[in-house]
Amino acid sequence: MRSTLTLALDHLSRSWNAPQLLPALALLASALAAAKTPRRHTLLAHAVCWAAVWGYACVRVGVFAGWEKSKRRRWCWTAGFLYAVGEVCERAARDQEGLWWAKALLPLTVFLILRCVLALPSPNATPFTNTATPGPLQEQWPTSSGRLFAVLTGSAAVVLASPYVAHQAKALGVCSAIFTAAAFILLEGAFKLEDDDGHGYGSLVQANGSIARRPSISYSSTDVHMSTTRDTAAAIAITSFITSFFMETYRSKSLVWRPIYEELGWGITPDEEFNFGFALLAFITGVAADLLTVDMIRRHGSLGLGLVIPGASILLKLISEFSMTNLWFAGLYSACCLLFVEESTSSLPLALPSRRRGRFKHLVSVLGALSFAFVISSTVFRAPGFSRPVGPSPIKTSPPEVAEQPLRMEDTTHHPMAQLIKNAQDEYETVLSGQSKTLQQAVTEYRRRYGMHPPPNFDKWYEFARSKGVVLIDEYDTIYHALLPFWALSPSVIRARVSEALGFDENFLIALSVRGGESVRMERGMEWEQKAILGMIRDFVQYLPDMDLAFNIHDEPRVVVPERQLSTMVHKAKSEAVPAAFATKNPKNAFSARPEDLNDGTRLQEFFSTRFNRFAHQATWTESRLSCPPDTPASSFEESPLDNLTAYALGDLGFIYNRTAFSDICMSPSLRNTYGFFAAPNAFNIAHDLVPIFSQSKLSSFQDILYPSPWYWFQKTKYDEERDVEWDEKADELYWRGSTTGGYSRNGGWRKHHRQLFVREITAHNNAKILVDKKASSENEDGSNTNKKDDNPNWQVSEVPRQDLKHLLNIAFSHIGQCDASDCLAQTEFFAPLAPRADQQDAWRSKLLLDIDGNAFSGRFYAFLRSKSLVFKLALFREWHDEWVRPWVHFVPLGLRGGEWVEAVRWFVGDGEGRARAREMAERGRGFAGGSLRRVDFEVWMFRLLIEYGRVIDDDRENIGYPGP
């Protein structure tokens, strides 16, 4: 046994020598080079690597070795130029993943060019004619070889194919394959032309179309090899350097090196800018790949290298987009490659007899034909677009017995909150698993969702988002809906309205001017607000067009467009403007030059009138509901129409199952008398024309454009992890301390403010409704209580004195403000005793923390999420993150009516299942805040927002956009 193993190892060591290992090494090096080459500076990286190869060759043989061989030198320089042009074609496509699909054509292109050369009348006209088969081509292309190349090319194309390829990219891809193939063939010819031993070694392809076995090769002519490498490398380096100067941008602070595997989610480098260690690794990998490229052509010819290049791309595709389909076709490709290599290598230890080889070819051809038929049929019968995972089935409910009341629960064997949590988490996992993994998928999903091309520099945004490790790469519907009405206005009108708004000093707007890829001017607002906004755009401002931006200083939103006008604009945008832009098949991936109506940004044009009217400390319900559709409850002419609780409430206690509908003020006219903003806002400057105002939060009926809050950027409400305590050490209670912000109170108006109503109701001395498992608390016949859980619980409503659960509620005001003197005194007496001023860090001692709206958003939410406690959120104001931070996944949503407040607290701290769910949700919210509510996430969102907005205000917006990979 031992002797047999020794003989086998000895045979392998003798058989698998350097020439046989070279294809595997070239495959690995090509894959690593593709993964580590910084795509933003691809040409520059290639130039540097080939310059290093040139320098190495010059050290070996000198600068002018073999200079007298002018024919070889011309072939080398031509080959190098063509190879560089192939790289230029790939870079010109602005394809973040490279033209991988075009690499599937490379082996076939090499093969066809070689056969065309072999078919020339004179055998002496080309060095590619195999010495064993001189003369013109006499036989037809054998069917077996044709089938193998069809399977090989088709298999690679399936793995590397893109769902959407622009016509420009198609043309560039074909050109790239042709130029690269020609370069490989010329370089192979240069090696054979200058063989000092006097015997060239022919191409892998014989005149009859089969694969030629290579004779033994003498490698005594090292100088010829190195001089050929030197000249080729010089041509590639020079051409790449020149083209990189014109095609690549160097406007950032330094070169940015971000590898492909970062963008595919394999890892993230800690440094966003130039990373010397990574650059060195990329350089070494690139040089190794280039040296192996030259050596592969010398030893195995152009076709051998042509098989390796697509193989490297397929390897990366398998890692980035693994699927059984990709794996299967990668296997077919590998089988074809093995057949070609097996025919051309005499020392393969696994060489097949000719009869078995023929059967294997036939089997590969049949499997390929069946596989292609399956792919074509599945594509034809499958709906277009990038398929998304199917979400969870909805909770079983039934219509209410009384109109407009909450939905009824059909399943009483599970607690409603347990069902809401499971359904929300399943849905969130579906969303996570369906996120785009590549630029190509992101573009396809963008078109599917919005019916238009992505904006210019979408590829730069995608690269930026991936480098920052953003998880939810597709969830930006908030931006789309905010900007959609602006498509109905001409870009010049939008710009004029911004200038007018900024030019009136008392509009309370921060003015930011972007010119020439820089923030040239910022006025008004607090210093920390200005620094936050500039900080959010600093790393991508070079990709923005010239624009003026108006940021709202107030917490309260500013723009409400009447419903009839708003619906007309949305209809026009959807039916005319957006389709017209999408009809452009090859949009320009660049913004237009600065329009004439924008100055150089050093000053603001002064205006003496304004569209904004002031309604501070006055009722604003009538103004705020103007954009509500006429068939919604808020638009009713009745004084007290009913809220549509069916749209968002569930069960007898009214748990919030649809937070979007809950925060839609058009569904709840009772807000007129239960929410401080509508009773008397602290500040309210309102316009009824569509003006692009960027606000930190807004109500559903407002048309402000949301952006990440500077308050969160500067962490004005801090979280001190050192003062936090572990979950088991926290008190079983809901904690809240705060002031009476939310509106200005005079003449008893505080009785209609939401914070005061919440504190009054939750600390009242009446009964509270809770859910009780009737089977668990049922009494036996002898009167004893089993108090034992049943396999099938039955959750039913019961009432208990609210004071019995008082120990679970640590709720109190610590400050009375925003009120006339008489109202401040009345509130001080009503809510007495007030709690002492609390340190924010004291909140971490409680398991449940309440976040409730103030004048607008409260500003504590991120700190609460980062803690080890579970967050309850009572809020109508919408923020930029609403698509990302999910109710019942990262926090517990509460309604304004209060039927579920006490039960939510009781279940999460008093029930076994509830306690477990509370801890899980707290950990999930904490993890999400740490990974997706970082400063870099603000930057990514702002980047996406501002390129979308930049397109809307571009005079040529119908003809610009990202054409896609």
Side-chain angles (χ1 to χ4, degrees), residues 74-95:
R74 287 196 304 270
W75 283 22
C76 291
W77 279 86
T78 304
F81 173 76
L82 290 176
Y83 184 85
V85 171
E87 295 292 338
V88 171
C89 290
E90 186 169 341
R91 180 66 179 83
R94 295 181 178 273
D95 181 358

Side-chain angles (χ1 to χ4, degrees), residues 649-707:
L650 181 67
D652 294 330
L653 302 187
F655 296 101
I656 303 300
Y657 75 88
N658 187 332
R659 188 166 179 267
T660 301
F662 163 71
S663 63
D664 185 352
I665 73 164
C666 301
M667 296 291 182
S668 303
S670 66
L671 294 171
R672 176 180 187 175
N673 299 312
T674 59
Y675 200 76
F677 176 83
F678 303 118
N682 197 48
F684 193 60
N685 286 25
I686 189 72
H688 295 311
D689 291 323
L690 189 62
V691 182
I693 302 298
F694 292 82
S695 294
Q696 303 171 58
S697 65
K698 70 175 182 177
L699 294 165
S700 63
S701 58
F702 286 72
Q703 281 69 62
D704 299 58
I705 303 170
L706 292 177
Y707 79 103

Side-chain angles (χ1 to χ4, degrees), residues 51-376:
V53 174
W54 174 84
Y56 168 72
C58 288
V59 171
R60 290 287 302 274
V61 298
V63 178
F64 298 105
W67 201 251
E68 70 281 0
K69 307 293 185 180
S70 60
K71 185 175 183 181
R72 179 202 57 77
R73 192 168 64 253
R74 287 196 304 270
W75 283 22
C76 291
W77 279 86
T78 304
F81 173 76
L82 290 176
Y83 184 85
V85 171
E87 295 292 338
V88 171
C89 290
E90 186 169 341
R91 180 66 179 83
R94 295 181 178 273
D95 181 358
Q96 287 290 324
E97 300 173 28
L99 290 171
W100 287 5
W101 66 272
K103 290 177 172 55
L105 304 176
L106 189 57
L108 182 61
T109 306
V110 173
F111 188 86
L112 291 177
I113 293 177
L114 285 172
R115 285 190 56 81
C116 290
V117 172
L118 284 168
L120 292 174
S122 173
N124 299 321
T126 174
F128 304 116
T129 305
N130 190 287
T131 55
T133 55
L137 183 66
Q138 300 293 334
E139 302 180 33
Q140 296 297 319
W141 188 357
T143 305
S144 60
S145 295
R147 288 200 302 265
L148 281 179
F149 264 101
V151 175
L152 184 144
T153 305
S155 300
V158 169
V159 180
L160 303 177
S162 303
Y164 179 90
V165 180
H167 297 300
Q168 180 187 14
K170 291 177 183 177
L172 288 170
V174 173
C175 291
S176 175
I178 294 174
F179 288 138
T180 306
F184 290 169
I185 293 170
L186 280 174
L187 186 55
E188 181 184 6
F191 278 122
K192 286 185 289 188
L193 187 68
E194 290 296 327
D195 190 343
D196 290 345
D197 289 336
H199 59 273
Y201 48 97
S203 169
L204 277 176
V205 185
Q206 295 189 96
N208 65 357
S210 62
I211 307 302
R213 296 185 182 276
R214 293 196 176 279
S216 60
I217 302 170
S218 171
Y219 298 114
S220 59
S221 56
T222 304
D223 291 349
V224 173
H225 171 207
M226 294 310 300
S227 63
T228 303
T229 302
R230 178 203 62 200
D231 293 340
T232 306
I236 297 174
I238 293 173
T239 306
S240 297
F241 267 127
I242 294 173
T243 52
S244 67
F245 177 79
F246 292 102
M247 296 182 65
E248 297 185 357
T249 175
Y250 307 101
R251 294 172 65 180
S252 58
K253 296 178 181 178
S254 59
L255 298 180
V256 178
W257 297 82
R258 296 189 181 111
I260 286 178
Y261 64 73
E262 284 184 19
E263 314 256 345
L264 299 176
W266 301 351
I268 302 169
T269 56
D271 190 0
E272 301 167 8
E273 299 299 332
F274 181 83
N275 184 302
F276 180 79
F278 172 74
L280 181 61
L281 181 61
F283 170 74
I284 294 173
T285 305
V287 171
D290 295 340
L291 287 172
L292 286 171
T293 295
V294 177
D295 205 35
M296 183 75 186
I297 286 186
R298 183 169 71 104
R299 297 173 185 263
H300 291 278
S302 53
L303 183 56
L305 183 58
L307 296 173
V308 166
I309 299 299
S313 299
I314 289 174
L315 179 62
L316 286 179
K317 276 284 187 177
L318 278 177
I319 298 174
S320 63
E321 297 179 57
F322 179 81
S323 67
M324 294 307 297
T325 300
N326 281 356
L327 182 62
W328 173 258
F329 282 99
L332 285 177
Y333 180 85
S334 302
C336 292
C337 290
L338 285 175
L339 283 172
F340 282 112
V341 174
E342 190 271 339
E343 283 191 342
S344 63
T345 306
S346 59
S347 58
L348 251 176
L350 303 178
L352 297 172
S354 59
R355 180 178 298 179
R356 291 186 179 180
R357 183 166 56 247
R359 291 176 180 175
F360 188 40
K361 285 184 178 180
H362 184 69
L363 176 62
V364 170
S365 301
V366 171
L367 289 177
L370 293 175
S371 301
F372 298 146
F374 175 77
V375 168
I376 292 172

Side-chain angles (χ1 to χ4, degrees), residues 485-800:
F486 290 95
W487 281 87
L489 300 177
S490 66
S492 60
V493 169
I494 302 173
R495 296 193 300 267
R497 291 185 180 181
V498 175
S499 297
E500 178 188 314
L502 293 175
F504 191 79
D505 191 62
E506 296 183 11
N507 277 339
F508 300 99
L509 296 171
I510 299 173
L512 171 63
S513 296
V514 176
R515 299 291 188 274
E518 296 180 356
S519 304
V520 297
R521 188 170 181 274
M522 177 167 263
E523 280 190 7
R524 308 190 192 103
M526 303 291 289
E527 183 181 1
W528 60 269
E529 291 177 304
Q530 294 185 4
K531 287 183 177 179
I533 293 171
L534 292 175
M536 279 189 268
I537 70 173
R538 179 184 58 243
D539 289 344
F540 60 82
V541 67
Q542 65 266 29
Y543 300 119
L544 301 180
D546 290 355
M547 59 172 72
D548 290 329
L549 301 171
F551 294 92
N552 184 11
I553 292 178
H554 290 156
D555 293 336
E556 296 85 352
R558 307 289 297 272
V559 182
V560 175
V561 179
E563 189 278 335
R564 185 172 182 178
Q565 185 179 12
L566 180 62
S567 60
T568 301
M569 287 191 290
V570 170
H571 176 74
K572 181 179 180 181
K574 287 185 174 181
S575 62
E576 299 177 20
V578 171
F582 196 36
T584 303
K585 297 301 181 183
N586 294 294
K588 182 175 64 174
N589 189 23
F591 291 105
S592 302
R594 187 175 76 202
E596 295 180 356
D597 54 19
L598 280 185
N599 58 32
D600 59 4
T602 58
R603 69 191 186 283
L604 291 175
Q605 182 180 355
E606 190 175 6
F607 284 81
F608 301 97
S609 62
T610 179
R611 298 171 190 262
F612 292 89
N613 295 301
R614 295 187 185 183
F615 294 99
H617 302 178
Q618 300 181 46
T620 62
W621 174 253
T622 301
E623 297 285 329
S624 298
R625 69 173 182 169
L626 283 177
S627 66
C628 290
D631 58 347
T632 57
S635 296
S636 173
F637 52 81
E638 299 286 349
E639 280 297 317
S640 301
L642 296 176
D643 292 354
N644 183 8
L645 301 178
T646 310
Y648 60 81
L650 181 67
D652 294 330
L653 302 187
F655 296 101
I656 303 300
Y657 75 88
N658 187 332
R659 188 166 179 267
T660 301
F662 163 71
S663 63
D664 185 352
I665 73 164
C666 301
M667 296 291 182
S668 303
S670 66
L671 294 171
R672 176 180 187 175
N673 299 312
T674 59
Y675 200 76
F677 176 83
F678 303 118
N682 197 48
F684 193 60
N685 286 25
I686 189 72
H688 295 311
D689 291 323
L690 189 62
V691 182
I693 302 298
F694 292 82
S695 294
Q696 303 171 58
S697 65
K698 70 175 182 177
L699 294 165
S700 63
S701 58
F702 286 72
Q703 281 69 62
D704 299 58
I705 303 170
L706 292 177
Y707 79 103
S709 170
W711 182 277
Y712 288 137
W713 172 272
F714 262 99
Q715 298 182 6
K716 302 290 281 185
T717 302
K718 294 187 178 296
Y719 165 64
D720 187 351
E721 187 171 4
E722 293 183 357
R723 295 183 60 179
D724 202 348
V725 297
E726 297 302 322
W727 177 265
D728 293 332
E729 300 174 14
K730 295 176 182 286
D732 291 333
E733 63 181 16
L734 175 66
Y735 175 89
W736 183 80
R737 291 290 185 274
S739 61
T740 54
T741 56
Y744 190 88
S745 179
R746 60 164 50 113
N747 299 324
W750 58 273
R751 293 180 175 87
K752 296 181 179 181
H753 294 187
H754 52 282
R755 284 193 170 187
Q756 287 87 331
L757 287 171
F758 174 81
V759 174
R760 185 187 72 184
E761 292 298 326
I762 203 168
T763 59
H765 292 270
N766 57 3
N767 288 342
K769 291 183 177 180
I770 63 172
L771 292 178
V772 177
D773 181 3
K774 294 296 185 180
K775 287 190 177 182
S777 60
S778 62
E779 293 184 346
N780 294 326
E781 293 181 358
D782 58 2
S784 62
N785 193 313
T786 59
N787 226 6
K788 184 178 180 180
K789 287 285 184 182
D790 190 272
D791 291 338
N792 295 303
N794 181 22
W795 292 97
Q796 298 295 333
V797 177
S798 180
E799 289 193 8
V800 297

Side-chain angles (χ1 to χ4, degrees), residues 1-10:
M1 179 69 180
R2 181 177 301 175
S3 60
T4 304
L5 180 61
T6 302
L7 289 174
L9 292 175
D10 180 65

